[in-house]
Amino acid sequence: MSLVLDPAAQDLLFREARTANTFTDEPVTDEQVQAIYDLVKFGPTAFNQSPLRVVLVRSAEGRERLVQHMAEGNRPKTATAPLVAILAADNEFHEELPALLPHFPQAKDMFFAERPVRESAAGLNAALQAAYFIIGVRAAGLAAGPMTGYDAVGIQKEFLDDDHTPLMVVNIGKPGEDAWFPRSPRLSYDEVIKTV
């Protein structure tokens, strides 16, 4: 094997990791979420823009508001997951660039003065960070259930604002009974990797 990472860690993060569809009632603590963030914040983004923003839905009232915007098939698992995170792209991320990119503070106005440019950059880089977040959840020994089956406009109005675009909703917790669907096939190396 050419990978340096321990095989057990490889399994935890990738081979054995799955999208959970049921969860136990064991809580996900603020300390666990803090540890996840403190790990995944180091994943790279262009210009270190770090546009991901996360809304944690913990309260029963918040959960009720969220579930009504989920696709029918996603409602039961979202209603019962110990923690649900709304991952969003901050389209005004450039305001943080002078602090996040101190060696190149002019990048804020030089590259990101126009809203359409920011929206494109925020969407791509927040999606990268969302992937890091999912891996971080797995690294914490939890299951992540990312979903894009929801009413994006409804979630934006209910939980965000016009400067934040929802990317996905992620159920988080310990897998419950019958949590897994059969693993779907993956493309082979030769189907994906080309050398020129």
Side-chain angles (χ1 to χ4, degrees):
M1 174 89 21
S2 298
L3 300 176
V4 174
L5 191 65
D6 178 80
Q10 296 173 37
D11 288 343
L12 177 71
L13 299 178
F14 294 100
R15 290 192 201 97
E16 299 299 325
R18 308 283 288 285
T19 295
N21 294 288
T22 66
F23 298 89
T24 70
D25 58 3
E26 183 178 329
V28 176
T29 67
D30 288 335
E31 291 78 16
Q32 287 172 301
V33 176
Q34 179 79 54
I36 291 165
Y37 177 71
D38 285 343
L39 175 66
V40 304
K41 69 183 179 184
F42 294 109
T45 57
F47 291 96
N48 197 33
Q49 44 188 266
S50 306
L52 181 70
R53 303 295 181 263
V54 181
V55 176
L56 298 178
V57 182
R58 288 196 181 277
S59 71
E61 179 267 338
R63 188 72 58 101
E64 189 174 310
R65 288 168 44 214
L66 175 60
V67 167
Q68 69 180 340
H69 297 292
M70 300 303 295
E72 188 65 38
N74 291 332
R75 289 179 180 179
K77 53 192 170 186
T78 303
T80 58
L83 179 63
V84 183
I86 301 169
L87 306 190
D90 180 359
N91 297 307
E92 297 298 312
F93 69 86
H94 69 308
E95 297 295 345
E96 305 294 337
L97 279 182
L100 292 172
L101 202 65
H103 63 280
F104 189 21
Q106 61 271 32
K108 174 187 176 216
D109 297 315
M110 185 180 292
F111 296 107
F112 301 109
E114 297 181 16
R115 176 69 179 239
V117 173
R118 290 197 305 274
E119 288 179 356
S120 177
L124 172 62
N125 287 280
L128 278 174
Q129 289 186 284
Y132 305 146
F133 182 83
I134 292 166
I135 300 302
V137 168
R138 293 172 174 181
L142 302 168
M147 302 167 292
T148 55
Y150 55 76
D151 171 11
V153 172
I155 285 179
Q156 184 177 34
K157 286 181 181 176
E158 193 81 36
F159 294 95
L160 303 167
D161 58 35
D162 290 341
D163 290 331
H164 294 81
T165 304
L167 297 173
M168 66 182 67
V169 174
V170 183
N171 294 326
I172 304 169
K174 292 281 188 181
E177 192 173 330
D178 298 321
W180 319 120
F181 294 145
R183 186 179 287 286
S184 297
R186 298 297 193 265
L187 296 174
S188 72
Y189 177 92
D190 291 334
E191 291 173 303
V192 175
I193 308 296
K194 303 296 180 196
T195 302
V196 295

